[in-house]
Every structure is written in C-alpha cells, then in structure tokens.
C-alpha cells in the first residue's frame, strides 16, 4: 500500500510490494523468452506478455470479490470442476499421450488447473464449517480426505503426476494448518513409503523411466536423460555472472530441450549466472512469504486456511520446477510459473494471487474498523 496523495485511493490500497515482485518475475520471464527465441518477440515473448497482462487484470478483479461470496460458491465451484474432470476422462482431447483437456473449439480447457486453488478453498470452507472440537476426530479427516482423493485420482489417470501431486500438497497443507493430529501425516507418509514399490509398478512406462533417470541421469545421456544432462550443463556453464544476455549457447543452439517451458530456469541462469538465479529464487520466496503473512494476519478461519493453502501451491510450483531442472527431483512437467511460456500456470498463480490480495485487503479493512 502507498500514499493515496500520490495516486487514487483504489490504486493506493493495492499491495504494491507484491505487485512489484510479480512484475519483476514476469519481466524476467519475458526477457528470457525473448532470448530463447534468438532475440525475437515471436513466437513466445509477446504472447506471454499479453497473457500475463490479461490474467493480472483477472487477479485484480478477483481481489475485489467479498470473502462471503467466495465462501458461498466454493462447494458448487468444486463440484463443477469435478464434473469437468470426469468429462475429460470420457471425451477429453488427447495430446502428447495424455488426456487432460476439453476441446471447446476456440480453446482447450484444462480443468485440473482450476482444481489446484479450488481444493484449497473447499477444504478451508469445510474446516470453517466444522466445529473446532471435531477437527481432531475422525469426522475431521475422512470428508477432507475424500475431497482431496477424488480429484487427485481423476487427474492421476490422465496421466498428470505433477498436477495431481500439486492438488495433493495443497490439500494436505490446509489439513495440516487446520490442526489435524500430526500422527495422521506421519502415518500417511510411512504408508506411502512402504507402498512405493507398488506405486512404481503402477506407473506408466515414461514415468518409471523418469524415476530411473532421476536416480542415474548418466545411464542414458543421449536418450531419456538428455533433458537433465543438458539442463545441468546450461546451469553450470553460466558460472557466477552468466555468459551475458542473448549469449546462452545451450538454448540458442538447441542443445537445451524445452528451454522456453519446463527448463526456462536453465536458459535464464546460463545467461545471468548464479547471481541471477538467486535473485529469481528470492523474488519467489518473498511472494510466498507475503502470502504466509496474509494467512497469519487473516481475521477468519476460512481466510487463514485458504491463504496458507494457496501460498503453498505457489511455493510447490516453483520449488519442484527448480529441483527438476537441477536434477534434484524427477521430471514431472511442472513449469516455472510466470516465467515459463504457457497460459495455464499463469492463470493458476494469478487466481491464487487475486484471492490472496482480496484476503489481505479485507483483513486490513477489518483491522482499521476494530
């Protein structure tokens, strides 16, 4: 928030610290896409800039929606998205070996993206309605578990392991912050660890290959391990200060696959080095810190839980991508939000930020009135 003597009151009440951070991240994304295209605004940079501006406008509009209205539409919205996920399984568009979209002619809609913020909101609403005494009982676990498990399973069979995991993490975060007993989470983690061999056998062939390449990237450096190997080369060759803008050889000579989408961080660090990479990571970390502060200062239980879940969704987005491009996690197809080319991640993150800005504004208003 800045002084209303400088700019009009509606603009002054916007969270400008967050907006400048988001603007910095988006600018890094656009200039990196410009470089990845060999110094051309097409085919990625200009389109990405328009996408960001459009969805940022959506985020500002969402921030003015009253909390009471969001509460009232949370369950119906969740049900609608769940129905869309079922429709995807029945008549969804198939692309790159996955069935994740509904082809509407003018756009291919990916319902699983909407489920990332929706699962956080629906669980926050569930625990908001649940009496505090029941949170640590069985009735505080099984309905919430179903609300997470059903969309998780529908997304997993598309197959989309990355999005399914994000839905699961967002839901578990809200359940944890709501106050469920710690032994629930410890037991679930233990059961998952014990079931890993079974989970591995149920994976698709390409997913099993990704796990094996994660464990030993050099086993097939020119095949399945090519992405990770070239990503590490690009990051390492950047050194401390980088090779200089528009001088990234790995991306410009097409050694780095998907240098404008999943592996855009490698393309950025090759040109801007360790210093640039740290700056980008700090910008994301400050956005998440701002979101968690919103959760901490929120005046209602629904707002507290929603803000925590949405902040964790953003955190998981960028941390998994960074771990993926550095070889610290299997490649699961999660882009770097606001930096990678593509509208889905931008849409999801802007929806999360719009709701967070709305919670922050309404919490500030309640504080000023009390």
């Amino acid at each position: 928030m800045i002084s209303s003597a400088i700019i009009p009151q509606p603009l002054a009440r916007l969270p400008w610290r967050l907006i400048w951070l988001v603007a910095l991240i988006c600018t890094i994304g656009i200039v990196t896409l410009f470089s990845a295209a060999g110094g051309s605004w097409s085919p990625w940079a200009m389109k990405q800039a328009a996408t960001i501006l459009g969805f940022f406008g959506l985020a500002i509009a969402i921030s003015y929606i009253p909390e009471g209205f969001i509460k009232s539409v949370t369950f119906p919205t969740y049900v609608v998205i769940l129905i869309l996920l079922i429709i995807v399984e029945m008549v969804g568009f198939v692309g790159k070996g996955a069935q994740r979209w509904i082809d509407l002619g003018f756009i291919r809609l990916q319902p699983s993206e909407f489920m990332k913020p929706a699962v956080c909101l629906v669980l926050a609403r569930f625990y908001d309605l649940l009496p505090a005494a029941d949170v640590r009982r069985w009735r505080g676990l099984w309905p919430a578990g179903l609300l997470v498990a059903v969309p998780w399973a529908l997304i997993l069979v598309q197959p989309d392991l990355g999005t399914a995991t994000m839905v699961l993490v967002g839901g578990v975060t809200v359940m944890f912050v709501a106050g469920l007993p710690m032994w629930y989470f410890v037991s679930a983690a233990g059961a998952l660890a014990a079931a890993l061999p079974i989970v591995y056998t149920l994976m698709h062939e390409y997913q099993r290959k990704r796990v094996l390449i994660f464990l030993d990237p050099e086993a097939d450096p020119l095949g399945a391990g090519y992405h990770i190997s070239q990503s590490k080369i690009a990051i390492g060759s950047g050194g401390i200060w980088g090779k200089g803008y528009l001088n990234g050889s790995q991306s410009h000579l097409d050694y780095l696959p998907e240098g404008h989408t999943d592996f855009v961080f490698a393309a950025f660090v090759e040109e801007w080095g360790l210093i640039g990479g740290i700056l980008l990571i700090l910008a994301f970390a400050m956005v998440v810190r701002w979101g968690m502060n919103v959760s901490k200062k929120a005046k209602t239980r629904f707002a507290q839980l929603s803000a925590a879940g949405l902040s964790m969704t953003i955190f998981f987005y960028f941390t998994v991508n960074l771990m993926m491009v550095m070889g610290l996690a299997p490649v699961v197809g999660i882009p770097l939000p606001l930096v990678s080319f593509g509208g889905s991640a931008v849409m999801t993150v802007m929806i999360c930020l719009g709701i967070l800005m709305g919670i922050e504004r309404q919490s500030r208003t309640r504080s000023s009135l009390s």
Side-chain angles (χ1 to χ4, degrees):
M1 211 176 113
I2 61 178
S3 173
S4 59
I6 302 175
I7 60 175
Q9 182 69 15
L11 293 179
R13 295 186 66 82
L14 292 173
W16 284 99
R17 181 181 302 176
L18 172 70
I19 290 173
W20 288 122
L21 285 171
V22 172
L24 171 62
I25 295 170
C26 292
T27 301
I28 287 174
I30 292 169
V31 298
T32 303
L33 293 176
F34 178 83
S35 175
S40 172
W41 285 104
S42 61
W44 305 314
M46 185 64 72
K47 186 175 180 180
Q48 184 75 353
T51 299
I52 287 171
L53 287 175
F55 282 120
F56 179 73
L58 175 65
I60 296 297
I62 290 174
S63 72
Y64 284 96
I65 299 176
E67 182 182 312
F69 180 79
I70 294 177
K71 286 182 179 181
S72 67
V73 301
T74 293
F75 279 110
T77 301
Y78 172 85
V79 172
V80 169
I81 299 172
L82 206 60
I83 292 172
L84 290 176
L85 287 174
I86 295 172
I87 293 174
V88 167
E89 292 304 311
M90 297 170 59
V91 295
F93 173 83
V94 178
K96 295 183 179 180
Q99 188 169 329
R100 304 173 185 172
W101 302 270
I102 298 175
D103 195 343
L104 300 178
F106 63 95
I107 189 175
R108 287 174 184 164
L109 187 67
Q110 188 174 353
S112 58
E113 284 294 327
F114 295 104
M115 186 54 76
K116 293 173 185 175
V119 75
C120 298
L121 296 176
V122 77
L123 286 178
R125 183 56 174 156
F126 168 73
Y127 286 114
D128 180 50
L129 295 171
L130 189 70
D134 290 340
V135 171
R136 300 180 67 85
R137 297 176 181 172
W138 180 243
R139 69 185 64 181
L141 174 64
W142 73 263
L146 282 177
L147 289 171
V148 176
V150 173
W152 173 80
L154 289 171
I155 296 170
L156 192 64
V157 299
Q158 291 182 353
D160 191 350
L161 179 60
T163 301
T165 305
M166 288 192 65
V167 168
L168 180 63
V169 169
V172 169
T173 298
V174 176
M175 295 168 73
F176 179 80
V177 177
L180 266 65
M182 178 62 72
W183 72 267
Y184 283 176
F185 304 98
V186 175
S187 300
L192 178 61
L196 282 179
I198 300 174
V199 173
Y200 180 79
T201 60
L202 295 175
M203 285 181 174
H204 292 262
E205 180 62 30
Y206 80 93
Q207 292 172 332
R208 288 198 293 268
K209 188 173 291 187
R210 285 178 176 178
V211 173
L212 293 175
I213 290 301
F214 162 66
L215 297 173
D216 185 11
E218 303 305 321
D220 188 11
L222 298 179
Y226 185 77
H227 288 66
I228 293 298
S229 297
Q230 294 302 320
S231 177
K232 288 181 178 180
I233 291 172
I235 292 172
S237 66
I240 301 296
W241 301 103
K243 295 178 178 178
Y245 188 51
L246 299 176
N247 291 322
S249 58
Q250 293 298 113
S251 57
H252 291 176
L253 297 177
D254 292 331
Y255 287 112
L256 180 66
E258 305 297 334
H260 64 294
T261 53
D262 292 356
F263 290 87
V264 70
F265 181 75
F268 170 72
V269 173
E270 183 185 16
E271 296 186 348
W272 296 91
L274 177 66
I275 301 302
I278 291 175
L279 174 66
L280 181 57
I281 292 171
L282 285 176
F284 273 115
M286 291 175 70
V287 169
V288 174
R289 182 175 180 270
W290 179 87
M292 295 307 293
N293 281 334
V294 170
S295 175
K296 182 180 178 180
K297 296 176 182 178
K299 303 303 180 182
T300 67
R301 183 163 175 77
F302 174 78
Q304 290 172 346
L305 297 178
S306 296
L310 295 172
S311 299
M312 183 54 68
T313 297
I314 299 173
F315 174 79
F316 190 78
Y317 239 129
F318 82 86
T319 52
V320 171
N321 177 270
L322 296 184
M323 292 174 67
M324 184 181 76
V325 300
M326 290 187 282
L328 301 177
V331 177
V332 291
I334 293 179
L336 187 59
L338 308 181
V339 181
S340 296
F341 177 73
S344 296
V346 175
M347 177 192 69
T348 301
V349 171
M350 288 301 185
I351 289 174
C352 292
L353 291 176
I355 297 172
L356 285 169
M357 286 191 289
I359 292 172
E360 189 267 347
R361 177 187 292 109
Q362 292 170 69
S363 297
R364 195 177 345 117
T365 301
R366 290 189 178 99
S367 296
S368 64
L369 293 177
S370 60

